Amino acid sequence: MIRCLLAASVLGLSLTAASALAQPGKATGKTAPAKPASTPADPTSDGSALKGPAVTAAAVAPTLVQRDFSGKVVRLETNPAEAAVRVMPLDAASRAAVDRILLERSRLLDQLVTENLQTISLLHNAREAGDKAEATRLVQELAAKAKPLRDRGVLAQELIAALPPDEGKELKRMVQEYWKAVVDEDLAKPASEREDKSPGATRMAGVRDSARTEFARIAGQEIKSAYERTIGQQSRDFDALIAQLSLTPAQESKVRKIVGDSFNKSFGKATPNERAQVFWKVYAELDETQKKQILERIGGPHAHGGSK
């Protein structure tokens, strides 16, 4: 299923981020050079002539641009705006406002993923089969369902609006600096390695294709993270239950097949009746001690007529 999520990297969510914040040609990411420290009019007046001129260390502005040993830009695993506010020294009020925005957006993304596993899976299959028309249709379907998230606008712009002016400008600078580094690196590649390989491709087309590719990659990573927060957590809870029941290898194989078949059939959206059927199928595979344990786990001792 993880591969399905990666296939959704072209989700229309990424397209909503194509804003002025990603205009790499306009951002330099450079800070003004520090002014040299002044020296006293009379270098001997303070009795420290042997100390030499005073030196003021230039402040290093925070940056999202990190490079590996080969000099390539280390690509972020999350939205650049989120990565920026994570490293910015914000006061308590600003941090609370930022965290609220990030939490609200992550909940919407989690909901999008959990409610559309089937569509994401079908999109993966269409891309694997080379069916571009079907893949495009499914992307549009997902983009339409992502309207509550798209309606919030670009993440960077929402965060900037919640921050004091100076902090908003710093966030924008960091985001633009990252995009400039990514696009410049892509444009420096041989034409055969770039997304747009046509001989007559303009620089603007190269900038657009580079930004679109990076947006899509980040969107895929965010969807993968949403999967891990939701379906991944359910899987970990199930593994914990399996460990608690101390199933034999034969029992575990049967139980995993029962649960797995149900999940694949319903894409994680089983009805209450279907979930009940799965439970009783699993229950039938357990011995008496294990049955007692699972009943206690889901409903406490009263679930099986235990202590009052």
Side-chain angles (χ1 to χ4, degrees):
M1 185 59 70
I2 288 293
R3 294 181 63 200
C4 298
L5 298 174
L6 295 178
S9 62
V10 295
L11 182 61
L13 291 174
S14 63
L15 301 181
T16 66
S19 69
L21 296 171
Q23 296 178 14
K26 295 185 179 180
T28 63
K30 297 179 181 178
T31 56
K35 295 181 179 180
S38 59
T39 56
D42 181 358
T44 63
S45 61
D46 63 353
S48 57
L50 297 180
K51 292 182 180 179
V55 177
T56 301
V60 178
T63 181
L64 299 178
V65 180
Q66 304 295 331
R67 298 184 183 275
D68 60 21
F69 289 112
S70 66
K72 293 183 178 180
V73 177
V74 177
R75 304 302 172 97
L76 296 173
E77 296 300 312
T78 188
N79 189 294
E82 179 177 349
V85 293
R86 294 298 189 194
V87 299
M88 289 174 61
L90 304 177
D91 60 28
S94 293
R95 180 63 63 191
V98 162
D99 288 345
R100 175 183 56 78
I101 290 171
L102 295 176
L103 178 60
E104 290 172 352
R105 294 179 73 110
S106 69
R107 284 174 174 168
L108 288 174
L109 185 57
D110 290 354
Q111 182 179 358
L112 177 70
V113 170
T114 55
E115 292 183 355
N116 294 281
L117 289 175
Q118 182 174 12
T119 304
I120 292 173
S121 178
L122 292 174
L123 173 58
H124 166 73
N125 294 339
R127 288 172 60 83
E128 287 286 295
D131 189 343
K132 293 184 179 180
E134 178 65 3
T136 299
R137 185 190 69 78
L138 291 166
V139 166
Q140 293 172 344
E141 180 181 327
L142 282 171
K145 293 178 179 179
K147 188 177 183 300
L149 188 55
R150 290 188 290 108
D151 284 347
R152 296 182 70 101
V154 179
L155 173 59
Q157 293 177 342
E158 187 173 5
L159 291 173
I160 287 172
L163 294 173
D166 288 346
E167 293 175 346
K169 290 179 181 178
E170 178 66 358
L171 169 60
K172 185 173 182 177
R173 179 196 68 76
M174 293 175 67
V175 171
Q176 287 184 325
E177 181 185 40
Y178 174 78
W179 283 110
K180 182 179 186 302
V182 168
V183 171
D184 285 350
E185 181 176 89
D186 286 347
L187 294 181
K189 296 177 181 177
S192 60
E193 296 181 15
R194 295 203 297 267
E195 188 73 14
D196 190 339
K197 301 179 178 62
S198 57
T202 63
R203 175 181 172 81
M204 184 55 67
V207 170
R208 182 187 63 245
D209 291 333
S210 175
R212 183 172 56 200
T213 299
E214 182 68 2
F215 277 130
R217 186 192 66 78
I218 292 172
Q221 290 294 336
E222 291 183 320
I223 292 172
K224 179 179 178 181
S225 296
Y227 177 91
E228 288 299 325
R229 288 193 299 267
T230 54
I231 307 304
Q233 183 58 52
Q234 294 177 27
S235 178
R236 289 187 288 274
D237 291 343
F238 177 64
D239 288 341
L241 175 61
I242 293 292
Q244 179 185 343
L245 294 176
S246 301
L247 302 181
T248 66
Q251 284 179 311
E252 182 172 346
S253 177
K254 291 180 180 179
V255 168
R256 287 190 181 278
K257 186 176 187 309
I258 292 170
V259 175
D261 287 349
S262 174
F263 184 89
N264 292 333
K265 181 180 179 181
S266 65
F267 290 94
K269 298 173 69 174
T271 64
N273 183 57
E274 288 171 336
R275 288 196 295 270
Q277 291 180 19
V278 169
F279 172 80
W280 291 116
K281 287 180 181 179
V282 169
Y283 189 80
E285 299 295 335
L286 307 180
D287 63 28
E288 291 306 312
T289 299
Q290 293 163 341
K291 288 178 179 178
K292 180 179 179 181
Q293 288 177 321
I294 197 171
L295 287 173
E296 289 178 345
R297 183 182 177 96
I298 66 172
H302 294 285
H304 62 281
S307 60
K308 296 181 181 180

